[in-house]
Amino acid sequence: MSKRTPLIAGNWKMNKTATEGVELVKEISAASVGSHASVNVVLCPPFTALSAVGQAIEGSLIALGAQNIHDKANGAFTGEISASMLRNLHVTHVIIGHSERRSIFGEDDAFVNRKVLAALSATLKPILCVGELLAEREANQTMEVVRRQLEAGLAGVPAAKAESVIIAYEPVWAIGTGKTATPAMAQEVHAFIRKLLAQQFGADTAARILILYGGSMKPDNADALLAEQDIDGGLIGGAALDAKSFTELVRIAAKSLSR
Ligand code: 13P
């Protein structure tokens, strides 16, 4: 790890009602998560639980994130949610371009890019997800795919706002499958991402941008992943739905900073 403060973000996906979400936050808070500054924590519940979870984390250092936005500010877009609606609920982060949005809901790089720009205009921190499919890894296309998603996703982002961007490298074959990239595999892609960020924004800015790993990160593999130079935290799916595993991940990340 480096001087970047690690971040553990929980992506609850389409899980937890507002009531269940508040219960989970109570359990997480009871373990003192969000009470120390050596690790940052973001919870990304479904839209319907944002308000209740936001109230439940009030007064702690835990931040609130959403899982998606629409790129337009308002208008006739039935079922969609804008950046300003999220800001109004004290949301500070938003996941953009998750592989499930890309593959199930057909979001392309251009749409992802418009969402990133919309988030930044509203002072929301975008967590831009990139990552290759299994077939792409097997065809040695990992770096090509990551480069395309990253460069397209960040097109037009001004250098002055680049530090608000967070990147999440999520190899699609590792999501929800129990298969994790080895620390060396993940580090190779993270270092490549930081090199691309340096080309776009300069080395100093790139050194300050957080790059999270996502894909079956659990307490038993987090320590080795977070020990890598360019892995600055995790975007956690399944293990974020359980207070015990999530708080353990936060504890491991807090420890990684002091190495
Ligand atoms: P899992 O941790 O369940 O593999 O999910 C990762 C993910 O998609 C986070 O966005």
Side-chain angles (χ1 to χ4, degrees), residues 11 13 98 100 170 174-177 214-217 235-239:
N11 175 9
K13 307 193 179 184
H98 192 279
E100 287 148 19
E170 299 205 314
I175 295 176
T177 58
S216 298
M217 202 193 239
L235 182 54
I236 318 296

Side-chain angles (χ1 to χ4, degrees), residues 2-4 194 197-198 202-210 230 232:
S2 63
K3 52 197 171 313
R4 295 177 290 272
R194 201 171 305 283
L197 293 171
D204 286 355
T205 299
R208 287 194 288 269
I209 295 177
L210 292 176
D230 290 291
D232 305 319

